[in-house]
């Protein structure tokens, strides 16, 4: 089997956290679904923290989607809460249209588990004012693009400054996420000894208890 660089399904999720700002949540969710529904970076599943049902935010978001012409398909919990009346047949569905699945989750971790079970590792989003929750989501979700308080529609080579986009790579070899021309190229390393190295560089110059030269490595921000 040969690994390939592939543009796969775009089953993108938006998770509205208990600490989401209502106005921003409505604006972001509608943008993620309706800006260009046929695009691979459009939201296909909306996950709502159960607290948003009690606060009324879930209903606000769904009302805004309906006003925008979006047909909603309900998971078991969303159906039980009375949020939607049409059942979702498969959370693996990429609609590519003004349609989306809706489900209620008890926690952010449950949202992450749902994403890993049904997503395509394309783009997943959290909407929350809780910085710790955002950081946990960003580090916990395994996807090519993971955003906090940003529409999934930003997962685009042009928008991320890559120029013309070739596609969105959802695998791990070798480029991942939006791929521009650079992502299709292999790497060739060129090295030339500097004059102050005497025109010849050896690794022994950098080794031992008292090396003649030292590396200038800098620690990257974690």
């Amino acid at each position: 089997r040969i690994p390939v660089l592939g543009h796969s399904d775009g089953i993108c999720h938006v998770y509205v956290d208990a600490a989401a700002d209502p106005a921003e949540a409505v604006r972001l969710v509608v943008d993620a679904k309706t800006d260009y529904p046929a695009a691979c970076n459009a939201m296909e599943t909306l996950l709502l923290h159960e607290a948003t049902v009690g606060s009324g935010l879930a209903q606000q978001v769904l009302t805004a989607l309906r006003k925008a012409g979006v047909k909603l398909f309900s998971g078991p919990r969303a159906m039980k809460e009375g949020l939607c009346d049409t059942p979702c047949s498969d959370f693996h569905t990429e609609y590519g249209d003004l349609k989306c699945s809706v489900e209620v989750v008890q926690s952010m971790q449950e949202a992450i588990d749902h994403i890993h079970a049904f997503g395509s590792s394309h783009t997943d989003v959290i909407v929350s004012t809780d910085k710790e929750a955002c950081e946990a989501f960003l580090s916990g979700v395994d996807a090519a693009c993971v955003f906090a308080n940003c529409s999934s529609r930003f997962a685009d080579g042009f928008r991320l400054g890559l120029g013309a986009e070739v596609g969105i790579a959802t695998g791990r070899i070798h480029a991942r996420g939006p791929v521009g021309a650079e992502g299709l190229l292999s790497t060739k390393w060129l090295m030339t000894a500097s004059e102050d190295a005497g025109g010849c560089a050896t690794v022994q110059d950098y080794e031992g208890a008292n090396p003649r030269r030292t590396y200038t490595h800098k620690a990257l921000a974690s």
Side-chain angles (χ1 to χ4, degrees):
R1 302 179 67 180
I2 302 174
V4 297
L5 183 65
H7 179 124
S8 189
D9 300 333
I11 304 176
C12 303
H13 297 75
V14 174
Y15 163 60
V16 179
D17 187 50
D21 177 272
E24 294 303 319
V26 169
R27 196 161 68 96
L28 189 151
V29 169
V30 171
D31 180 86
K33 180 68 257 186
T34 68
D35 179 67
Y36 185 18
C40 62
N41 57 11
M43 178 189 73
E44 301 294 11
T45 298
L46 173 64
L47 299 175
L48 300 162
H49 190 285
E50 61 181 7
T52 66
V53 179
S55 69
L57 175 54
Q59 293 85 340
Q60 291 179 49
V61 172
L62 298 183
T63 296
L65 286 171
R66 290 187 178 100
K67 286 183 177 180
V70 180
K71 174 68 175 178
L72 305 176
F73 297 92
S74 178
R77 292 184 185 174
M79 181 78 74
K80 185 177 180 180
E81 295 289 349
L83 298 178
C84 312
D85 55 11
T86 304
C88 169
S89 59
D90 187 356
F91 280 119
H92 289 103
T93 303
E94 181 178 8
Y95 297 101
D97 198 354
L98 286 173
K99 302 175 182 179
C100 81
S101 303
V102 179
E103 185 57 303
V104 174
V105 294
Q106 293 181 322
S107 66
M108 180 184 66
Q109 186 56 55
E110 187 177 333
I112 292 174
D113 292 342
H114 181 106
I115 289 168
H116 290 162
F118 300 104
S120 61
S121 300
H122 190 298
T123 302
D124 300 297
V125 179
I126 181 174
V127 186
S128 180
T129 59
D130 184 334
K131 292 184 179 180
E132 290 186 3
C134 289
E135 289 297 327
F137 187 89
L138 292 174
S139 62
V141 173
D142 180 12
C145 300
V146 187
F147 299 158
N149 300 310
C150 301
S151 171
S152 58
R153 290 283 291 128
F154 279 108
D156 174 83
F158 172 77
R159 293 189 174 102
L160 295 183
L162 301 179
E165 180 189 290
V166 179
I168 307 287
T170 54
R172 296 177 178 82
I173 301 176
H174 58 289
R176 198 178 194 200
V179 179
E182 184 177 352
L184 300 179
L185 305 177
S186 59
T187 301
K188 178 180 181 179
W189 295 83
L190 304 178
M191 182 181 293
T192 303
S194 61
E195 292 183 4
D196 63 354
C200 177
T202 68
V203 294
Q204 292 182 7
D205 291 338
Y206 296 82
E207 296 177 343
N210 298 296
R212 294 180 58 244
R213 306 178 65 81
T214 58
Y215 293 108
T216 57
H217 296 159
K218 296 181 179 179
L220 298 177
S222 59

